[in-house]
């Protein structure tokens, strides 16, 4: 896997946010970084939707769904990292 490509455009490397957190090739910190990048990109798309730059309701719905899934995956990773740091 090309980690630089994944960091710049997570959707080009991973089909779903869950695939990021299930990847055996990434550390938890790398998973978190990729998901944060994906979240930022989705929030930018959402802003464009809100400002009327994109008119496709289906695309907006997909953006919202992926943003929820990215946020959920990030929460799980953050919880795992917190548990790991507390048990160390």
């Amino acid at each position: 896997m090309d980690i630089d490509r994944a960091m710049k455009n997570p959707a080009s490397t991973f089909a779903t946010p869950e695939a990021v957190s299930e990847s055996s090739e990434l550390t938890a910190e790398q998973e978190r970084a990729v998901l944060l990048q994906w979240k930022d990109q989705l929030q930018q798309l959402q802003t464009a939707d809100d400002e009327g730059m994109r008119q496709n309701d289906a695309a907006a719905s997909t953006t919202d769904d992926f943003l929820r899934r990215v946020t959920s995956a990030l929460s799980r990773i953050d919880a795992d990292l917190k548990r790991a740091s507390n048990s160390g």
Side-chain angles (χ1 to χ4, degrees):
M1 173 198 344
D2 183 347
I3 187 68
D4 291 331
R5 180 176 172 211
M7 286 298 300
K8 290 178 184 154
N9 187 359
S12 71
T13 305
F14 298 98
T16 66
E18 295 80 11
V20 176
S21 57
E22 294 167 2
S23 174
S24 61
E25 298 180 58
L26 300 174
T27 66
E29 289 82 8
Q30 289 171 322
E31 290 173 6
R32 187 174 188 281
V34 169
L35 287 166
L36 284 171
Q37 175 65 20
W38 205 340
K39 182 179 178 182
D40 182 58
Q41 291 174 359
L42 290 168
Q43 287 174 326
Q44 289 176 21
L45 285 174
Q46 204 172 41
T47 298
D49 289 339
D50 292 346
E51 293 174 357
M53 293 178 183
R54 296 187 335 162
Q55 298 299 321
N56 187 335
D57 287 341
S61 177
T62 300
T63 300
D64 292 345
D65 177 55
F66 265 71
L67 186 55
R68 278 191 297 277
R69 292 165 64 188
V70 166
T71 302
S72 177
L74 273 169
S75 294
R76 286 191 301 274
I77 289 170
D78 286 343
D80 290 347
L81 288 171
K82 185 174 183 177
R83 270 195 300 278
S85 70
N86 287 340
S87 66

